[in-house]
Amino acid sequence: MSHGKIAIIGIGEVPTRSMPERTQWDIIYDTCMEAVRDSGLNKNDIEGVVSCAPQAQDRLAAELSFGKLPEELGLKGCKDSVVCNAGGASTSNCIRLAEQWIESGVAKAVIVNHVTVQSDIPLPDIIAFFGKAGVDMQWEYPFGVTYNLIMGMMATYFMNKHGFTARELASVTTALRSWAEKDPNSIFYGKPTPSVDKVLESDMLATPLHKREANVLADGGCAMVIVSAETAKKMGKPAAYKLGESVRYFSGSVVMRDFDQVEEGFRITAQEAIAQAGITKEQINLWNIYLAYAMCHPIMAEALGVCPPGQAGKYFLDGRMSFGGDIPWATIGDAPGRGHTGSGVSAATYVETARQLMGKAGERQIKDCKYVFQNTSGGSGFNNIATVWGRDF
Amino acid sequence: MQFDMTKPLPVVQPWSEKFWEGTKEGKLLVQHCKDCNSNIFYPRKYCPECWSGNLDWIESTGKGKVFTFSTAVSMVEPRFMDELPYTLAYVDLDEGVRLMSKIVECDPEDIKIGMEVEVVFVERENFMLPYFKPVNK
């Protein structure tokens, strides 16, 4: 097993909901304070702040970029503060930066946080933002592209290549929602998991993608406290140790994306991250996958070798990745289950990785969870970052 | 609630102006690197393969095949609502490059992966957008 360099020792999160009554700073206070208290550190022990760049929230982005968070929260020991933007891969980069600050001696303890409040953004503005984000303004946007169309084109390709059926793809949503139903932080907490038939009965958005297979925009926020692995060990508290990482870049524009290269990227990054962690894929207790759209999950499952080639659709349809199934998978339900919080679903996925390794996941707790594989992906899928985390090092 | 309903125009870079000039003459141009012989899409300032600035243009046959596609049925930007349902596709041109475009002049249900298509230019203000239709349609 690899000797990790950093560990998450504290987590804080607010439920993902539509919360126009809560300001972004209201959520920042609650999540950061909860994470610091959970870590057992004093607020003044926090020496660095790395925030995920808020999407479609220009004012907040400017405030965070200009260092307001340490001042607002009275982090008297803070030495530096920065915002990091790589779309859905922002959190991975925030953690990398925290790792660099800790290793280089800039900071001993770093807060990584995310907040998104979209419910108070006027509809025309939110449509205008997501309509253009990650879309080429010369070669894609004038033709009427949307994220749903992009995913629809990917799904059409992979259904043709792998033989996935519409029922199999719909069953991914059912699997993700089965975890969300049990997750107090999910927008769908306590709401009945839709059956495969129910998913398929929902309106078509962009063939073959149905409404229930897409995402609901929501507000949310979370925070993590990160220290060196040695410090975490000395503190003797439950922690999530980073053990391995690998990444591949695909393309900035969707029109340039080679879908086969994406599949290969999923496969090789997992292999490299698991090898760096010094374990085997059979030792992974939870595959905590973040891909934003349900239809990408079977591709990932096959690339990871979690199921044999051509079998991923059947695995999902048989409920093997659902709550209660034998393959723990995306235990917050990814964006279709959690609610889409801009670049925040990946942050929430890291918090869940830590929560599972700390043994704090309640009804969704994976028994004897020692190793978690987690990925993130930025923009409309410009890269894939694979990481492995352990409860010890 | 006020939505911007204007149809977007391509945001052109200096090195892609020739492409758009070509569309006005009914030509689908593909950028070509005279040093490494690569065909390039989308057009760049320098060749993405060898960084040469020795770039030229070739005229595409305008023919290609559908690599993949999806038909939008709902939930598009308000400015595109009047076009629903519409199909976008990745089209692999005979010249070995891939672009994203709209498939027109056919029933969306007839569109298949591998379907042969050819370019047809559709006017939007002072631009001619390259759409594709089934061959022999």
Side-chain angles (χ1 to χ4, degrees):
Chain A
M1 187 176 73
S2 164
H3 287 257
K5 292 171 183 162
I6 56 163
I8 302 168
I9 57 159
I11 53 176
E13 189 165 27
V14 295
T16 301
R17 302 278 188 272
S18 177
M19 304 180 280
E21 72 283 3
R22 296 198 70 169
T23 68
Q24 294 144 332
W25 283 100
D26 181 20
I27 293 171
I28 290 172
Y29 269 102
D30 284 3
T31 52
C32 290
M33 289 173 72
E34 185 184 344
V36 173
R37 286 181 180 132
D38 188 47
S39 74
L41 296 176
N42 182 279
K43 73 177 178 65
N44 296 334
D45 295 328
I46 302 300
E47 295 185 335
V49 173
V50 187
S51 299
C52 295
Q55 307 295 324
Q57 302 158 96
D58 292 345
R59 183 64 219 161
L60 178 66
E63 288 174 337
L64 292 172
S65 301
F66 283 65
K68 191 156 188 269
L69 196 153
E71 173 190 293
E72 187 85 28
L73 269 70
L75 306 179
K76 306 293 184 190
C78 186
K79 294 177 178 171
D80 210 353
S81 176
V82 72
V83 168
C84 196
N85 195 358
S90 297
T91 318
S92 298
N93 287 284
C94 291
I95 293 171
R96 285 167 166 168
L97 197 49
E99 187 170 348
Q100 194 274 333
W101 283 5
I102 290 165
E103 273 204 278
S104 65
V106 168
K108 291 189 194 68
V110 178
I111 278 191
V112 167
N113 80 299
H114 158 263
V115 63
T116 286
V117 176
Q118 300 176 118
S119 56
D120 64 354
I121 302 174
L123 190 61
D125 293 352
I126 202 100
I127 288 174
F129 177 83
F130 282 108
K132 297 185 183 79
V135 170
D136 189 285
M137 297 304 287
Q138 186 170 198
W139 308 109
E140 296 175 341
Y141 190 60
F143 297 93
V145 73
T146 65
Y147 275 113
N148 290 336
L149 269 163
I150 290 165
M151 291 301 153
M153 286 191 280
M154 277 184 79
T156 302
Y157 174 75
F158 284 121
M159 285 175 85
N160 186 63
K161 180 180 175 185
H162 291 263
F164 298 140
T165 66
R167 287 192 71 76
E168 287 173 343
L169 288 188
S171 73
V172 179
T173 296
T174 300
L176 296 174
R177 286 285 300 274
S178 74
W179 290 104
E181 185 183 337
K182 308 289 183 187
D183 178 5
N185 286 317
S186 165
I187 196 168
F188 293 114
Y189 176 55
K191 296 188 176 157
T193 300
S195 65
V196 171
D197 286 332
K198 200 103 179 155
V199 173
L200 290 172
E201 283 164 12
S202 62
D203 293 343
M204 186 68 80
L205 297 181
T207 57
L209 191 76
H210 298 80
K211 195 171 182 179
R212 286 187 191 272
E213 294 172 287
N215 297 314
V216 178
L217 291 182
D219 308 330
C222 59
M224 296 167 263
V225 173
I226 298 175
V227 296
S228 73
E230 288 77 13
T231 301
K233 192 75 181 165
K234 275 182 208 154
M235 290 174 74
K237 290 170 62 69
Y241 293 85
K242 186 177 175 184
L243 303 178
E245 178 170 16
S246 174
V247 61
R248 287 295 184 281
Y249 171 83
F250 304 130
S251 74
S253 308
V254 184
V255 68
M256 299 304 295
R257 198 151 306 153
D258 179 336
F259 295 157
D260 295 331
Q261 188 198 6
V262 172
E263 271 191 284
E264 178 60 10
F266 286 172
R267 190 187 65 77
I268 196 76
T269 51
Q271 235 171 42
E272 289 177 357
I274 291 169
Q276 194 179 83
I279 61 169
T280 64
K281 79 176 169 64
E282 286 70 26
Q283 290 176 272
I284 300 288
N285 303 108
L286 163 60
W287 300 93
N288 208 11
I289 303 303
Y290 162 72
L291 289 164
Y293 273 82
M295 52 78 42
C296 301
H297 283 249
I299 311 304
M300 178 63 89
E302 293 193 5
L304 295 174
V306 168
C307 48
Q311 293 296 302
K314 186 175 183 317
Y315 271 45
F316 277 99
L317 192 57
D318 289 347
R320 298 188 64 177
M321 279 81 159
S322 296
F323 179 81
D326 63 324
I327 303 173
W329 184 273
T331 47
I332 65 167
D334 195 1
R338 172 49 79 93
H340 199 295
T341 51
S343 56
V345 182
S346 64
T349 309
Y350 277 110
V351 167
E352 173 71 359
T353 289
R355 189 184 282 120
Q356 288 283 355
L357 290 167
M358 292 170 170
K360 299 176 180 175
E363 206 177 351
R364 290 169 298 104
Q365 181 63 50
I366 306 305
K367 199 179 164 192
D368 196 23
C369 189
K370 286 183 184 161
Y371 298 107
V372 177
F373 173 91
Q374 187 192 320
N375 81 303
T376 61
S377 178
S380 60
F382 77 80
N383 68 351
N384 186 65
I385 301 175
T387 53
V388 175
W389 297 76
R391 75 177 178 198
D392 204 349
F393 83 110
Chain B
M1 204 168 287
Q2 287 261 310
F3 292 96
D4 183 354
M5 298 301 281
T6 55
K7 300 283 184 188
L9 301 174
V11 179
V12 179
Q13 297 291 339
W15 45 89
S16 57
E17 282 172 2
K18 278 252 188 293
F19 175 91
W20 295 107
E21 285 168 16
T23 61
K24 289 174 186 169
E25 297 165 12
K27 294 175 184 172
L28 186 65
L29 298 179
V30 173
Q31 205 178 28
H32 180 77
C33 176
K34 292 204 276 190
D35 284 342
C36 75
N37 218 27
S38 296
N39 288 341
I40 303 162
F41 189 86
Y42 50 90
R44 317 288 170 89
K45 184 174 182 181
Y46 295 102
C47 172
E49 301 298 326
C50 70
W51 277 15
S52 167
N54 194 13
L55 302 175
D56 202 356
W57 299 87
I58 58 170
E59 186 176 345
S60 165
T61 61
K63 290 193 163 67
K65 287 182 179 166
V66 171
F67 173 76
T68 189
F69 66 95
S70 176
T71 301
V73 180
S74 63
M75 294 278 282
V76 299
E77 276 199 71
R79 66 177 94 213
F80 292 111
M81 288 285 215
D82 62 319
E83 298 178 35
L84 287 173
Y86 63 87
T87 303
L88 293 195
Y90 283 13
V91 174
D92 286 341
L93 294 182
D94 290 351
E95 290 73 23
V97 297
R98 178 176 296 162
L99 46 78
M100 184 190 287
S101 185
K102 198 166 170 179
I103 306 295
V104 293
E105 297 186 32
C106 67
D107 186 331
E109 295 203 355
D110 293 337
I111 300 169
K112 303 274 184 274
I113 286 177
M115 187 172 84
E116 294 187 353
V117 291
E118 62 189 357
V119 73
V120 53
F121 295 98
V122 175
E123 189 172 7
R124 183 179 295 168
E125 293 191 29
N126 56 338
F127 280 88
M128 296 297 281
L129 297 179
Y131 289 176
F132 286 80
K133 64 174 186 175
V135 167
N136 299 327
K137 182 82 179 178

